[in-house]
Amino acid sequence: MLWFPDRVRLFAESKGQWILLALLIGMAICYDYPETLLKRPQSIHNWRQSDGASLALNYSQEGMQFFKPRTHGLYSDGYTTGYTAPSEIPILYYFVAILYKLFGYHEYLFRATNLLLFFLGLFYLFRLSRTILNNTFYPVAVVVLLFSSPLLVYYANNFMPNTVGLSFTMIGWYYFYRYSANHKTRTYLTAVLFFFLAASMKITELAGPLILLALMLMDRFRIMRLNLGTEKHLGGKIAALLAVFLVVAGWVFYAKWYNNLHGTSQFSTFTFPIWNMKPEDIDFVLHKMKVIWLPEYYLPFTLYALVFCSLVCAVFHKHVDKILGMASIFLLIGLVAYSILWFEALGDHDYFFIGFYILPAFVFINFFQVVLSFNMKIIYKRIISIAVLGFMFVNVNHAAHRHHIRYFSWMNDYPEMQDLYQINPYLQQKGITGKDTIVFFSSPNIRPLYLMNLKGWTLWDYADVTDELRAEDSVMMADCIRKGAAWFIVNNTKSLMKRESLLPYTRDLYGKFGNVMIFRIPPVDDNFNLTDSISN
C-alpha cells in the first residue's frame, strides 16, 4: 500500500504527463499535422524522403528480405536492379513494411510511426526532466522548447529515421539516469538497448554510447564521482556497449560490401570533411547555413538564449546535474567534430544535425536546475515562469510559421508536380503496372519512380546541353530499352525540347495526364510531334 506522499507524487507525475499530452496534441494541430500526415514525400529533401519510403515499399512488395534492401531506381548490377543499402540498419523501413503487409500500403502509416515514436521520446524526456528538476512546469517547458525547433517539427512527421533515432536516444538517457540511482543491471541494459536502436536509425547516434563509456570510465577511475556503480561488473557493462558498436559497425561494413557487390553508390557511407574543400566552397556552405537553415534550426533569438543558458550553467556548474553536465560537454565536443567531418554536406542537409538536438534539451534542463537552486521570492519565480511561457509561445509560433513555409512556398514544388502525385489511378487504367520499367524525364532522384510505384531510371535536367550530353542521352535510352524499358514518361517538355537526341522517343504518345506525357518506347506508332504540340 502506498503512503500518502507517494500517492501525491504519482498523481503529480500523472497530471504532468496529461498536461504534456494535451500540449503536444495542441502543438500538432498548430503545426498542421493532421493535414501533413496525409501528404506524400515532398518539399525539402524529398529526395531522401523518397529513398526511405522506397526502401519500405520494396521490402513489402519484394519478399521482406531484410538483408536485401532495394529501391525503385535500377542503378545497381549494371543498371538492372535496385539493390542498395543505406548506412543505417533498416529496422524502421522493415517495421513500416510489416505495417503495410498488415494494413495495406498507406503512406500515413510511415509518417504516423515516426511521429508516435518521436512523441514517445518526448514523454521520456519529460520523465527525465521531472526526475532531475522535481517539478512539473519546467520539464514541460523543456519538451515544448525542444519541439519548437522547426527542424524537428518538419522531420518528426516525415519519412526519415533521424527523429526516431533522437527519440530512442532520449529514452536511453532516461534509463541510464535511472540506472545511476538504482544500479540495476536490467535498467542499464534497457538503456543500452535504446541507445542501440538509436544508433540503428542513424550512426551519429553512437555519440550516446560513446559518452556512456566515457562517463563509466571517469567514474571507475575516480576522475569524477558520478555514482554509476562501476565497482561491480564493469567489464560486462562495457561489453554491452561494445556490442552496440560492433553490430552497428557490422551493418556499415555489410552495407559497403553489399553496395560494392551490386556496383551502386545511391547511399553514401562516407564522410565529407572540411579539409577537402576550397576556402570559397567553405564560405558558400556557411552562407547557405546562415541564409537558408539558421531559422530552421531554431528561432535565432533562441540560439543566442542557448548560448546564454550554457554560460550560466558553466558559471554555476556546482548546481548542475553532474551526469547531464558532463554529457553536455561531450556532446558539444562531438558536435564540433561531426561538423568538421561532414561540413561539405551541411549546406544542403539541415537534417544532419538532428542527432545532436539532445544537447539543447540538456542545456535547458541544466539551466532550469540552476534557476530552481536559488531561493527566490514567489514573485520572482512567477515572473520567470511567465517569461518562460512567453518564450515557449514565441518559439512554437515561429516553428508553425516555418513549417507552413516548408509546405507552401518555393521550398515545395508540389504545385508544379501535382499531376505526378495523382497519376497512379490513370496508370492502372492504361494498364501500366509495377511489372513495367520506365525512363522518366526529368528528375535528379527516384522520387517520380517511387510516386508511380514503377521501377526504372531518371534523366536529369541540365542548364547546359552539350554534344557530349546528347550522345549520352542516345546511349542511355538505347541501353534502357535493351534492359526492358517500355515507357518514356515526361513532365518537363520545355527542357526536353533542348535534348534533341531524346525527341525520337516522343513519337508514340500513349497517354496524357495533366502535364505528364507517356510515350511508348521503342515507338510503334508515329502519332505525335512534340514540337508541333508545344508550338500550338
Side-chain angles (χ1 to χ4, degrees):
M1 184 160 179
L2 292 174
W3 291 95
F4 180 74
D6 293 326
R7 290 178 180 271
V8 171
R9 177 180 56 81
L10 290 174
F11 174 76
E13 291 179 357
S14 175
K15 183 180 178 182
Q17 291 179 1
W18 283 109
I19 292 173
L20 178 62
L21 178 60
L23 278 173
L24 290 180
I25 293 174
M27 293 170 73
I29 295 172
C30 182
Y31 296 150
D32 292 327
Y33 273 6
E35 179 182 352
T36 55
L37 187 69
L38 303 177
K39 291 183 182 293
R40 309 195 72 190
Q42 58 189 273
S43 189
I44 295 296
H45 300 303
N46 60 72
W47 184 328
R48 188 60 179 84
Q49 293 178 52
S50 299
D51 286 341
S54 180
L55 285 166
L57 183 55
N58 273 274
Y59 269 133
S60 176
Q61 294 180 158
E62 302 290 348
M64 300 296 292
Q65 296 174 294
F66 184 82
F67 290 97
K68 292 186 177 181
R70 67 183 85 181
T71 68
H72 286 78
L74 302 181
Y75 299 112
S76 307
D77 298 302
Y79 285 68
T80 61
T81 74
Y83 292 117
T84 184
S87 58
E88 67 267 16
I89 303 176
I91 296 174
L92 178 64
Y93 311 124
Y94 199 81
F95 177 75
V96 172
I98 293 174
L99 295 181
Y100 289 166
K101 286 286 190 181
L102 293 174
F103 305 106
Y105 169 49
H106 304 289
E107 287 170 323
Y108 63 78
L109 291 173
F110 202 144
R111 285 186 181 266
T113 298
N114 266 9
L115 185 57
L116 290 175
L117 288 174
F118 184 67
F119 277 8
L120 181 65
L122 292 179
F123 270 95
Y124 274 91
L125 177 62
F126 169 80
R127 295 182 70 182
L128 172 64
S129 306
R130 182 74 177 77
T131 302
I132 295 172
L133 300 176
N134 193 28
N135 179 281
T136 298
F137 173 74
Y138 287 116
V140 169
V142 170
V143 173
V144 171
L145 289 174
L146 183 69
F147 192 35
S148 62
S149 162
L151 188 68
L152 297 185
V153 170
Y154 178 68
Y155 288 107
N157 180 13
N158 220 295
F159 297 88
M160 294 162 59
N162 303 68
T163 55
V164 177
L166 175 62
S167 177
F168 286 140
T169 291
M170 290 188 281
I171 299 174
W173 276 111
Y174 167 76
Y175 279 105
F176 183 72
Y177 198 85
R178 276 192 59 185
Y179 160 75
S180 71
N182 64 26
H183 293 173
K184 293 182 179 179
T185 302
R186 180 179 178 180
T187 307
Y188 175 81
L189 293 178
T190 303
V192 172
L193 172 62
F194 279 104
F195 279 116
F196 163 71
L197 290 173
S200 299
M201 297 300 109
K202 276 297 169 183
I203 193 171
T204 49
E205 299 293 344
L206 280 175
L210 273 173
I211 294 172
L212 256 63
L213 180 61
L215 294 177
M216 300 281 284
L217 293 176
M218 289 176 67
D219 183 62
R220 178 65 181 85
F221 294 105
R222 298 296 183 265
I223 298 173
M224 177 177 284
R225 292 186 179 275
L226 300 172
N227 190 33
L228 297 180
T230 51
E231 300 85 3
K232 298 180 179 179
H233 311 300
L234 179 62
K237 294 169 184 174
I238 292 178
L241 289 174
L242 293 179
V244 173
F245 293 109
L246 287 175
V247 174
V248 174
W251 175 264
V252 172
F253 283 115
Y254 174 77
K256 287 186 176 183
W257 171 83
Y258 184 80
N259 291 337
N260 288 333
L261 175 68
H262 294 289
T264 181
S265 58
Q266 183 174 337
F267 290 103
S268 172
T269 53
F270 304 98
T271 58
F272 303 92
I274 192 171
W275 55 78
N276 289 342
M277 302 175 66
K278 298 177 181 178
E280 57 269 26
D281 295 330
I282 294 175
D283 290 339
F284 187 52
V285 169
L286 290 173
H287 175 74
K288 287 194 287 187
M289 292 175 67
K290 178 181 178 181
V291 174
I292 301 175
W293 302 131
L294 189 64
E296 306 300 328
Y297 299 141
Y298 257 124
L299 180 70
F301 176 77
T302 303
L303 293 173
Y304 292 120
L306 280 167
V307 174
F308 171 77
C309 291
S310 299
L311 293 175
V312 170
C313 293
V315 172
F316 298 98
H317 60 89
K318 291 184 179 180
H319 299 274
V320 170
D321 182 83
K322 288 184 178 180
I323 293 177
L324 262 61
M326 286 306 305
S328 300
I329 294 173
F330 285 128
L331 281 167
L332 181 60
I333 295 171
L335 175 60
V336 173
Y338 175 79
S339 300
I340 292 172
L341 286 172
W342 273 272
F343 187 83
E344 187 176 355
L346 298 181
D348 297 318
H349 301 83
D350 57 338
Y351 61 88
F352 272 33
F353 281 129
I354 288 177
F356 285 92
Y357 267 74
I358 192 69
L359 177 57
F362 283 1
V363 169
F364 285 130
I365 293 173
N366 290 332
F367 176 75
F368 291 140
Q369 190 174 23
V370 171
V371 171
L372 290 171
S373 68
F374 295 117
N375 187 21
M376 293 182 288
K377 294 181 179 179
I378 294 179
I379 182 66
Y380 296 130
K381 291 181 179 179
R382 288 178 178 175
I383 291 174
I384 293 174
S385 298
I386 292 172
V388 172
L389 277 173
F391 188 52
M392 290 160 57
F393 175 80
V394 170
N395 275 273
V396 170
N397 183 64
H398 172 74
H401 174 65
R402 297 307 307 178
H403 192 249
H404 183 81
I405 287 176
R406 288 217 179 200
Y407 281 102
F408 301 99
S409 74
W410 64 268
M411 289 185 169
N412 192 359
D413 64 356
Y414 177 81
E416 296 81 25
M417 302 284 288
Q418 59 181 325
D419 292 329
L420 192 63
Y421 280 82
Q422 301 167 4
I423 198 174
N424 293 56
Y426 180 75
L427 293 174
Q428 295 174 6
Q429 177 187 333
K430 300 293 288 185
I432 299 175
T433 69
K435 296 180 180 179
D436 297 311
T437 52
I438 70 164
V439 179
F440 183 87
F441 182 88
S442 62
S443 176
N445 56 63
I446 69 166
R447 175 174 56 154
L449 303 177
Y450 167 73
L451 292 175
M452 295 183 288
N453 196 13
L454 295 172
K455 296 188 177 181
W457 308 265
T458 63
L459 297 176
W460 290 46
D461 183 18
Y462 294 97
D464 298 323
V465 180
T466 63
D467 291 338
E468 182 181 2
L469 179 59
R470 294 186 182 95
E472 289 178 0
D473 284 341
S474 296
V475 172
M476 178 70 175
M477 289 298 291
D479 191 42
C480 289
I481 291 172
R482 186 167 56 252
K483 290 170 180 172
W487 310 101
F488 183 35
I489 301 181
V490 178
N491 79 328
N492 188 352
T493 54
K494 183 178 180 180
S495 295
L496 182 63
M497 291 299 299
K498 303 174 185 177
R499 309 277 279 270
E500 293 90 343
S501 53
L502 296 177
L503 294 181
Y505 300 97
T506 63
R507 297 201 308 267
D508 190 352
L509 181 64
Y510 182 73
K512 187 174 186 296
F513 183 83
N515 68 345
V516 180
M517 293 183 173
I518 305 170
F519 301 96
R520 193 196 322 263
I521 54 174
V524 175
D525 186 17
D526 194 351
N527 62 20
F528 185 76
N529 187 301
L530 183 61
T531 304
D532 293 343
S533 174
I534 293 178
S535 299
N536 294 334

